Amino acid sequence: MSTGHGGDSAPAHKPDDTITRTGTFSSLKVRNYRLFFTGAIVSNTGTWMARITQDWLVLSLTGSAAAVGITTALQFLPMLLFGLYGGVIADRYPKRRLLLLSQGALGLCGLALAVLTLSGHVQVWHVYLIAFLLGMVTVVDTPARQSFVSELVGPAQLRNAVSLNSANFQSARLVGPAVAGGLIASIGSGWAFLVNGLSFLAPLTALLLMRTGELHKAERAPRGKGQLREGLRYVAGRPELIWPIALVGFIGTFGFNFPIWLTAFADGVFHVGPGTYGFLNTLMAVGSLVGALLSARRGTSRLRLLIGAAMAFGALEVAAAFSPAFWLFALLLVPIGMLGLTVNVTANSSVQMATDPMMRGRVMSLYMMVFVGGTPLGAPLLGWITDTYGARVGFATGGAVSLAAAVVIGLVLARVGGLRLKVDLRRGHPHVRFVPRERLTTAA
């Protein structure tokens, strides 16, 4: 499949039946990426600490789960509203310089919340405001950080680096909440916010220590009018970009509402306590970490893998929704986490590799806008379905929409690529695969 104008700067996609394997940690041989990775794991741990602590603080201040939802919506809303403009900024200015500013701003937000909490003056509107400010900073930080990875490692190691970034984030997801819980119980929420604010010193130090001469040069977009529309036209004319982005949009909006479903299943279906709820989240994090490490070993980003993982993800969500026993429900969360991470990594890396470097910031901002920005839209809808019809119907709805989107987009991509679905019933069991149309004609 053609990679469009990005073909000269990104590796061409290998045939769909070829699997290239690399060392799981091969990107860490690059000094600049090693610094980036080390700084990120510290700040990611702090970020997960802050997420858990923020929700607990809002709940303790208001006694309202709806207030927790408002906080989450405020943090994701800026990406939905302004995400594309963040991509324009990321394409226009040096990404390392942008990250120095954005990571510093994220640290200051964490320190501000720490001061308010430790001084005893914190009110819920303070948390709302800081959540919104965090969201505004991530509008620029996210596309700059996502597209900066290609400058650190180059196109040959891009998929491995994207996978390791996901493994980094999921590792922090295992550690951060546990540390936050210990700090909240022992010395209070304010200290967890303080640790989060200080954790951003690690990525700032890493960015300052990088050797700029070893970065892979990326041509920046000149300042001019119409760059936002230019980015949208660029994606609209390339099926290898628009359809993976559309797929992660559906899955991010409808299939990734696990805080709603896991709390509903823990409380209303299986009647277990908060400790078991934390255990369910840990199982998903373990699956996600395994998925990230497995993705790091694969050297190519195949659209066939993306569609297959998305279909299996949706099907397993439906299966988990109707699991009769707690142990089966908990067991299914591990492959669900693994497949969800595989979808994200495969789509992310395939989109980046098929994009011209001058457009990468805008394309990745659109990617993150539909993936993350769908949360303020999908969460209330799936929450209403869960409250009205029950946790099983809510979970199954999210899985069914994800499965349907994967099937439809898979058929569209097959048609664009000149493929057709072939079912072979020989040897007593069916084989389903995509083959070129001309092969079917010859066989007939």
Side-chain angles (χ1 to χ4, degrees):
M1 187 175 292
S2 172
T3 58
H5 294 309
D8 293 335
S9 56
H13 291 288
K14 296 194 176 186
D16 211 29
D17 58 351
T18 300
I19 299 177
T20 302
R21 298 192 180 277
T22 60
T24 303
F25 303 101
S26 58
S27 295
L28 292 176
K29 296 176 183 178
V30 181
R31 179 184 181 274
N32 283 342
Y33 180 74
R34 194 161 59 245
L35 287 168
F36 181 84
F37 184 92
T38 304
I41 200 167
V42 175
S43 64
N44 283 338
T45 302
T47 297
W48 274 109
M49 291 175 60
R51 286 187 181 185
I52 299 299
T53 308
Q54 176 182 273
D55 291 347
W56 182 264
L57 176 62
V58 171
L59 193 62
S60 64
L61 289 173
T62 65
S64 169
V68 178
I70 291 172
T71 309
T72 302
L74 286 171
Q75 193 159 337
F76 288 118
L77 190 61
M79 182 61 72
L80 178 63
L81 298 178
F82 310 112
L84 291 176
Y85 294 98
V88 172
I89 294 172
D91 281 336
R92 186 177 293 172
Y93 298 102
K95 295 176 182 62
R96 177 173 167 271
R97 192 178 305 167
L98 285 176
L99 287 172
L100 284 168
L101 294 174
S102 63
Q103 293 287 298
L106 291 172
L108 289 176
C109 286
L111 292 175
L113 195 52
V115 170
L116 288 168
T117 307
L118 289 171
S119 65
H121 293 98
V122 69
Q123 299 179 38
V124 69
W125 72 266
H126 293 141
V127 185
Y128 287 165
L129 177 61
I130 291 176
F132 183 76
L133 291 176
L134 285 169
M136 289 298 295
V137 175
T138 58
V139 165
V140 175
D141 181 81
T142 299
R145 183 163 33 85
Q146 293 273 342
S147 53
F148 185 55
V149 175
S150 63
E151 296 185 24
L152 291 170
V153 300
Q157 294 282 359
L158 181 57
R159 179 186 168 84
N160 180 262
V162 170
S163 301
L164 289 182
N165 283 351
S166 297
N168 186 321
F169 189 73
Q170 297 303 329
S171 299
R173 182 181 174 186
L174 292 172
V175 176
V179 175
L183 288 176
I184 293 170
S186 58
I187 55 179
S189 300
W191 296 99
F193 290 130
L194 180 62
V195 172
N196 173 50
L198 293 176
S199 73
F200 285 93
L201 290 173
L204 289 172
T205 302
L207 289 165
L208 291 171
L209 290 176
M210 287 180 184
R211 297 169 182 165
T212 55
E214 295 179 5
L215 294 174
H216 294 255
K217 185 178 180 181
E219 190 175 356
R220 296 199 299 272
R223 190 179 185 89
K225 295 182 179 180
Q227 291 182 327
L228 182 57
R229 291 191 299 273
E230 181 187 8
L232 292 174
R233 285 196 301 268
Y234 180 86
V235 173
R238 289 162 175 79
E240 70 272 19
L241 296 179
I242 192 169
W243 291 114
I245 290 175
L247 180 58
V248 299
F250 276 104
I251 290 179
T253 301
F254 297 100
F256 269 70
N257 291 286
F258 296 109
I260 297 171
W261 297 323
L262 295 186
T263 52
F265 268 85
D267 183 54
V269 177
F270 296 118
H271 308 291
V272 295
T276 307
Y277 166 67
F279 172 68
L280 295 177
N281 280 278
T282 299
L283 288 176
M284 284 212 66
V286 169
S288 299
L289 178 59
V290 171
L293 294 175
L294 290 176
S295 295
R297 291 182 60 83
R298 189 173 285 110
T300 57
S301 296
R302 302 179 301 162
L303 292 178
R304 185 177 68 179
L305 174 64
L306 171 63
I307 299 300
M311 291 173 62
F313 172 81
L316 283 181
E317 285 199 335
V318 175
F322 297 108
S323 297
F326 173 79
W327 68 267
L328 180 58
F329 177 82
L331 186 64
L332 287 173
L333 292 180
V334 176
I336 287 172
M338 183 176 67
L339 289 165
L341 200 284
T342 300
V343 169
N344 189 14
V345 168
T346 305
N348 186 312
S349 54
S350 65
V351 167
Q352 288 208 52
M353 289 191 291
T355 302
D356 190 303
M358 286 184 64
M359 304 294 296
R360 194 166 281 150
R362 278 165 283 183
V363 172
M364 292 312 297
S365 68
L366 177 62
Y367 177 94
M368 295 305 299
M369 186 185 78
V370 300
F371 183 58
V372 177
T375 300
L377 302 177
L381 175 61
L382 271 299
W384 175 81
I385 292 174
T386 301
D387 286 340
T388 305
Y389 300 102
R392 294 189 185 277
V393 174
F395 200 2
T397 300
V401 172
S402 299
L403 175 59
V407 170
V408 171
I409 291 174
L411 292 173
V412 170
L413 284 171
R415 185 174 182 83
V416 169
L419 303 175
R420 290 184 63 183
L421 189 67
K422 181 180 180 180
V423 179
D424 186 353
L425 297 176
R426 289 175 296 178
R427 287 176 287 178
H429 55 89
H431 300 271
V432 181
R433 58 193 176 118
F434 288 108
V435 297
R437 288 195 181 96
E438 57 270 18
R439 186 182 302 173
L440 284 179
T441 303
T442 302

